[in-house]
Amino acid sequence: MGPVRVIIVGGSFGGLTTAYELRRHLGPERAEITLLARDDQFHFVPSFPWVAMGRRSLEQISFPLAIPLAAKRVRFANETVTGIDTAAKVVRTDAGEHRYDFLVVATGHRSANEAVEGLGPFDGPGHSPMSAPETTELAQAIGRLLAEPGPVVVGAAPGASCIGPVYELAFGLDHLLRRRGLRHQVPISLLTPEPFLGHMGMGGAGKIRQLLEGALEERDLAYRTSAAITRITEDAVETADAAPVPSVCSIVIPPLAGVEAVAASEGLANPKGFVPVDDHYRHQQADGVYAVGVAVALPPVDATAVPVNFPKTGHMTEQMAKIAAADLAARLDGREACSAELSARCILDMGDRAAYLAVDPVRPPRNHIPTVSDGRAWLVAKMAFERAYLSFARRGRLVPTARGW
Ligand SMILES: Cc1cc2nc3c(=O)[nH]c(=O)nc-3n(C[C@H](O)[C@H](O)[C@H](O)COP(=O)(O)OP(=O)(O)OC[C@H]3O[C@@H](n4cnc5c(N)ncnc54)[C@H](O)[C@@H]3O)c2cc1C
């Protein structure tokens, strides 16, 4: 029997980790692996807020996917998937068709900007660093703010799941404005759907709530929890239950959905476009299909007054990809691999220092009391992790520690 055909869709944390891990488990004689991605670059997404603040260029946090994949003997095709036929086991792209024995969906998200009028940046006046082009646009908007200071709102829309960057953007902007001596001209308001600070879609984590509360107040960052943003205009952000907040630069994280090609493929995704999987990240019905990362359907931890969805971080994506790759390789040998509950570690940039947060598992109740710590050393660790991740990943390897996410 010839090698099995594995198609991976997506070239970010989920797709790249799956490709590297699968190749570690299965040599070219056992698996012919093809990675399809609509973007030919890998971007270190957690550094998008630094790009927005002018602390990094996009080039510094990106590399072309083709080089490390070729070294791993993984075929790379810079194609956009338009549909997946799970019955015929065919992936359709803007360039043709690919047949598969196994498929790994790692397509990340689509920003559901239609959820709130004015969410942007290309659909309305709001800004958000959810992709490379949107981050470039936000960097330009921040440049204009520095030239013409005015009030700012940083927030997340109802149903958002990516809440960490809201805090990073508020702290980052505060830090930037202070360094330029402009902070006194820019009132910053943080509007979050979370029922309390640091809920982050995972029910909170140890002392992160108190830490964030102290840090926001120390920096004169006004905040409102359970805020339901309803509309973003050129000069204000409107919410369901209070007066509009003036804002000349509104940075609002949208709720997420699955990408169009996945959402529209029959039998593949739930109504939001996310892929339902079991605890090995296998599709619950479609044979040979896995999904990892933001593309996966994960239910919220609790019902909150304003909806907040379960987070899907880079570290969690990496764990999902490792579990899926191990399971796929084990199935070829007629075995079943182990699975594990997702844990999360992340470092939240606070401008002049950072907060470290570790939860195990992500979904409460937890085996361990969450670790929360802050200081300048964590900021140094976050920068070192970024550098190490990029240096390893562009050479076809995964960074051996997860402490820096
Ligand atoms: C601003 C920001 C800051 C963040 N900070 C952190 C952090 O500090 N720590 C942390 O752990 N996590 C962080 N995250 C979350 C982390 O970035 C995500 O969990 C991670 O990027 C998810 O990886 P993914 O592979 O699932 O999807 P993505 O990174 O979204 O990648 C999707 C891939 O699929 C491809 N694709 C999409 N559609 C198609 C198609 N139709 N055809 C072909 N290819 C397609 C894309 O080109 C891309 O390669 C942050 C996220 C954001 C937005």
Side-chain angles (χ1 to χ4, degrees), residues 33-379:
I33 308 173
T34 303
L35 188 146
L36 309 174
R38 119 190 117 188
D39 194 339
D40 66 351
Q41 301 281 310
F42 173 89
H43 304 295
F44 191 78
V45 178
S47 295
F48 279 174
W50 287 346
V51 174
M53 300 297 153
R55 288 170 63 179
R56 295 280 186 284
S57 67
L58 209 49
E59 293 68 39
Q60 284 174 310
I61 61 153
S62 310
F63 62 81
L65 287 163
I67 300 164
L69 289 174
K72 287 269 154 192
R73 295 214 259 167
V74 172
R75 235 190 101 229
F76 172 61
N78 183 199
E79 295 174 22
T80 298
V81 170
T82 51
I84 295 165
D85 182 338
T86 55
K89 295 197 166 185
V90 169
V91 176
R92 297 202 173 85
T93 74
D94 53 358
E97 287 190 352
H98 300 266
R99 300 200 163 272
Y100 67 82
D101 299 304
F102 292 97
L103 169 70
V104 184
V105 178
T107 42
H109 76 277
R110 172 180 79 79
S111 291
N113 288 343
E114 67 280 7
V116 173
E117 189 184 334
L119 275 177
F122 305 122
D123 306 308
H127 308 278
S128 69
M130 300 305 294
S131 64
E134 290 168 319
T135 302
T136 304
E137 191 280 341
L138 175 57
Q140 289 159 359
I142 291 175
R144 292 194 295 276
L145 178 75
L146 296 176
E148 275 182 66
V152 168
V153 164
V154 182
S161 51
C162 185
I163 306 284
V166 174
Y167 294 102
E168 291 196 316
L169 289 159
F171 288 127
L173 198 55
D174 166 80
H175 184 63
L176 174 65
L177 290 162
R178 255 175 234 288
R179 278 177 40 216
R180 300 285 177 104
L182 295 171
R183 180 66 175 88
H184 65 298
Q185 296 179 50
V186 183
I188 303 178
S189 307
L190 187 144
L191 301 180
T192 174
E194 299 163 286
F196 53 85
L197 295 175
H199 177 283
M200 307 236 189
M202 57 180 178
K207 289 185 281 194
I208 192 71
R209 171 184 184 159
Q210 289 81 359
L211 191 151
L212 288 171
E213 193 175 68
L216 290 172
E217 287 172 2
E218 203 169 65
R219 292 163 172 74
D220 301 321
L221 289 156
Y223 60 85
R224 191 140 55 82
T225 53
S226 294
I229 294 175
T230 51
R231 188 162 169 248
I232 302 163
T233 63
E234 295 291 344
D235 53 11
V237 173
E238 298 174 14
T239 59
D241 53 355
V245 184
S247 174
V248 296
C249 178
S250 307
I251 310 170
V252 178
I253 302 290
L256 305 184
V259 302
E260 289 91 341
V262 171
S265 296
E266 202 184 321
L268 187 59
N270 71 13
K272 281 190 176 172
F274 293 123
V275 182
V277 291
D278 66 13
D279 56 8
H280 292 89
Y281 298 95
R282 284 185 218 159
H283 195 282
Q284 288 170 355
Q285 268 99 41
D287 182 47
V289 177
Y290 290 79
V292 300
V294 176
V296 164
L298 294 172
V301 294
D302 50 11
T304 47
V306 180
V308 186
N309 276 305
F310 193 68
K312 298 167 196 165
T313 68
H315 179 216
M316 290 158 70
T317 298
E318 194 180 67
Q319 293 167 67
M320 294 184 214
K322 286 179 178 174
I323 293 169
D327 187 76
L328 197 163
R331 276 172 84 186
L332 291 181
D333 294 334
R335 294 180 292 112
E336 179 150 303
C338 299
S339 181
E341 279 236 48
L342 296 173
S343 61
R345 298 191 187 122
C346 72
I347 301 179
L348 193 132
D349 174 25
M350 297 166 78
D352 53 351
R353 62 199 162 106
Y356 174 70
L357 174 64
V359 284
D360 181 16
V362 182
R363 199 174 281 277
R366 302 187 177 112
N367 296 323
H368 304 284
I369 292 176
T371 306
V372 177
S373 160
D374 72 317
R376 184 149 177 83
W378 287 118
L379 185 56

